[in-house]
Amino acid sequence: MTEPTEKQPLLAGIELHKTYGSTPALDGATLRIWAGEIVAVMGASGSGKSTLLHCLAGIVRPDAGEVRYRDRELSAMSDAERSALRRGEFGFVFQFGQLVPELTCLENVALPLRLDRVRRREAERRAAEWLTRLEVDDVAGQRPGEISGGQGQRVAVARALVTAPRVVFADEPTGALDSLNGEQVMRLLTEAARQAGAAVVLVTHEPRVAAYADREIVVRDGRTRETVLAPR
Amino acid sequence: MSIGQTFLGLLEATPRHGYELKRLYDERFGQGRPLHYGQVYSTLARLLKSGLVEVDGVEPGAGPERKRYAITTAGVTDVQRWLAQPEKPDIYLQNTLYAKVVLGLLTGRNAADILDIQRAEHLRLMRELTRRKADGDLADQLICDFALFHLEADLRWLELTTARLDHLAATLHDEAAPTPPTSPAPPTSPAPTDGRPPQHVPTQFSSQETT
Ligand SMILES: Nc1ncnc2c1ncn2[C@@H]1O[C@H](COP(=O)(O)OP(=O)(O)O)[C@@H](O)[C@H]1O
Ligand SMILES: [Mg+2]
């Protein structure tokens, strides 16, 4: 059964299992992400959402099952190849603590480009563009400790998107924000990702946040549950 | 909420008399507003006419209360369709959803699927409202947000109920035994302490909705 390339998912986790000590975090989770789509991963606290995201992003190695990015199996790659993949193709937004406190917001956003050996002037020019798109250009010169939580998350989104990733992994990106700031972050994150054609794996337990996605996957006790379609 | 389909669901396990249906309905789904006998018998007459129930036995004497009703194959199909179909999300859904879950459990169906189908339908509407919000002005945003917050509350209830299904099933199992058909309309048994329908929304809520 060979499908044309564009019909292949961009990223797939198949029958993933992961146990921490005696705690099963994933128990046969399967998830396919297509290029450019925004998928919400929902489920109760402790259901395995973050573990699933970490496996898909190559941060955690599953005990069993496979993760495929395009035609490549992540577990077949070397550590160096996996980190190159993460740096080049993936972007990350977490709930907190992701900006380097010693750097300004502009330098934080430019950092992934600098690690890819983009020259400083060019990196900062592109970083400034992203800060403008995320409507936080006014905090470019400030450090993370000097800005609000909502501004910090928008800077983090800018940093995740500055390398033009194919997939953005966002784990409870609005988890520490009030409703209004959460709305702004979600609107800007999804608008920017859609314009850039990046897929988004959005982990959240909040339905209003999940409603920004194109579809949802529910994780329950480490297993994914596809949406049950009603008879029409 | 559909009284007809609720009756069908209650008849699926076993044939029952009209007064039994009324009692079970009032206890489980009535929320302090018992059905009138007129409603009970007009509903049963309609179900009979459309072939969803049949008369299973008639005791000596006269009057509709002598008849015992049984569900037909068409009736089972009708219940199945109703349970599998999501409700149009709105804020007065609680009775219907609660009834669907209880009847799903009573009839041995997968109640988690009923809740999942509804969750998907709620999220579909929430996505639509979120898109409308993105294209709208501030007034549109506020109106959509009002609906979104209420739908989110429904979803939380769905999630919590999913987590409590086993418990609810156990509670219902204890009460599921049908009353003997010969007994007269018995006094109402005490309301169950668990698995009770959620409280009514405050009246203030409904006045906001109709303006
Ligand atoms: N690094 C870890 N060490 C031990 N247990 C973990 C670790 N990460 C997750 N777990 C456990 O695995 C389960 C799933 O966790 P997680 O994926 O974080 O769930 P979620 O993100 O849905 O809250 C939980 O029981 C959690 O305690
Ligand atoms: Mg988590």
Side-chain angles (χ1 to χ4, degrees):
Chain A
M1 239 198 39
T2 48
E3 293 174 314
T5 316
E6 64 271 23
K7 289 281 173 66
Q8 298 281 356
L10 179 66
L11 178 68
I14 317 275
E15 277 292 311
L16 299 175
H17 291 258
K18 178 72 193 176
T19 300
Y20 292 106
S22 60
T23 313
L26 290 182
D27 184 23
T30 293
L31 168 54
R32 292 178 183 81
I33 310 289
W34 302 82
E37 72 169 344
I38 301 180
V39 178
V41 177
M42 305 183 70
S45 170
S47 58
K49 303 181 296 293
S50 294
T51 307
L52 177 58
L53 181 140
H54 292 152
C55 286
L56 289 171
I59 297 170
V60 162
R61 184 189 283 258
D63 301 334
E66 61 173 40
V67 177
R68 291 190 156 271
Y69 178 72
R70 295 189 151 148
D71 286 330
R72 307 179 66 198
E73 234 262 79
L74 259 59
S75 65
M77 296 181 190
S78 68
D79 285 349
E81 284 176 312
R82 253 196 314 276
S83 30
L85 177 72
R86 278 202 301 270
R87 247 194 3 253
E89 312 273 297
F90 297 167
F92 294 90
V93 184
F94 296 112
Q95 189 171 342
F96 10 56
Q98 46 199 323
L99 298 175
V100 181
E102 292 80 12
L103 300 180
T104 66
C105 291
L106 183 72
E107 289 164 343
N108 262 287
V109 177
L111 187 62
L113 296 173
R114 298 287 289 141
L115 293 174
D116 269 347
R117 300 201 173 78
V118 176
R119 296 167 70 107
R120 184 192 178 98
R121 181 182 292 263
E122 171 64 9
E124 293 194 345
R125 187 188 63 77
R126 278 153 68 181
E129 270 175 27
W130 275 101
L131 286 175
T132 304
R133 283 178 74 171
L134 273 296
E135 301 173 7
V136 275
D137 39 328
D138 50 331
V139 301
Q142 286 172 267
R143 285 175 223 286
E146 299 162 355
I147 62 177
S148 75
Q151 289 169 329
Q153 283 308 75
R154 286 189 263 164
V155 173
V157 171
R159 196 180 65 171
L161 285 162
V162 75
T163 54
R166 305 317 307 159
V167 189
V168 175
F169 294 94
D171 194 348
E172 308 275 7
T174 61
L177 303 180
D178 60 51
S179 299
L180 184 58
N181 276 294
E183 291 286 326
Q184 275 172 345
V185 166
M186 284 315 301
R187 176 175 61 79
L188 292 164
L189 166 61
T190 51
E191 272 176 18
R194 284 187 205 284
Q195 275 171 23
V200 180
V201 182
L202 169 68
V203 165
T204 180
H205 67 278
E206 288 182 87
R208 275 178 309 108
V209 173
Y212 281 87
D214 301 317
R215 64 184 173 99
E216 78 278 0
I217 294 272
V218 178
V219 184
R220 211 164 275 151
D221 301 327
R223 297 188 60 86
T224 43
R225 227 187 135 90
E226 294 284 339
T227 294
V228 184
L229 289 180
R232 293 277 170 200
Chain B
M1 176 155 100
S2 161
I3 301 171
Q5 267 131 348
T6 312
F7 279 8
L8 288 175
L10 290 170
L11 286 171
E12 205 177 320
T14 181
R16 298 178 195 276
H17 286 80
Y19 64 77
E20 253 189 292
L21 287 169
K22 170 179 156 50
R23 181 181 57 79
L24 287 170
Y25 184 99
D26 290 348
E27 269 176 30
R28 290 204 210 278
F29 311 119
Q31 297 197 19
R33 282 178 303 183
L35 294 175
H36 303 297
Y37 273 101
Q39 278 175 297
V40 174
Y41 291 108
S42 66
T43 302
L44 285 167
R46 188 168 48 72
L47 295 175
L48 259 178
K49 194 160 160 238
S50 40
L52 303 176
V53 300
E54 60 198 9
V55 175
D56 178 59
V58 184
E59 286 163 37
E65 65 278 6
R66 296 288 136 203
K67 287 185 189 150
R68 195 168 59 161
Y69 298 86
I71 194 167
T72 62
T73 313
V76 175
T77 308
D78 196 72
V79 180
Q80 175 60 31
R81 196 171 35 231
W82 179 61
L83 290 178
Q85 200 72 44
E87 296 294 321
K88 190 172 166 300
D90 81 43
I91 58 174
Y92 299 109
L93 264 183
Q94 60 206 18
N95 294 354
T96 308
L97 285 182
Y98 173 76
K100 280 187 162 185
V101 169
V102 169
L103 290 169
L105 290 170
L106 284 175
T107 56
R109 290 184 172 83
N110 188 338
D113 277 355
I114 296 173
L115 293 168
D116 269 358
I117 287 170
Q118 193 62 49
R119 176 184 45 70
E121 186 70 5
H122 266 63
L123 268 172
R124 199 187 54 71
L125 178 57
M126 289 181 74
R127 279 196 292 271
E128 195 181 303
L129 289 164
T130 303
R131 275 196 296 272
R132 200 183 303 167
K133 211 166 71 165
D135 303 332
D137 58 16
L138 183 58
D140 293 326
Q141 286 171 25
L142 292 174
I143 288 165
C144 289
D145 276 331
F146 183 86
L148 282 163
F149 276 106
H150 285 106
L151 291 165
E152 182 169 72
D154 286 358
L155 273 166
R156 289 192 181 166
W157 180 83
L158 289 170
E159 207 49 54
L160 190 66
T161 305
T162 305
R164 285 176 169 168
L165 276 179
D166 290 347
H167 188 183
L168 181 58
T171 314
L172 292 170
H173 188 75
D174 297 340
E175 307 169 356
T179 33
T182 46
S183 64
T188 321
S189 62
T193 50
D194 199 0
R196 247 174 40 179
Q199 293 297 301
H200 284 291
V201 283
T203 41
Q204 175 220 356
F205 205 82
S206 51
S207 63
Q208 279 179 9
E209 186 56 11
T210 47
T211 47

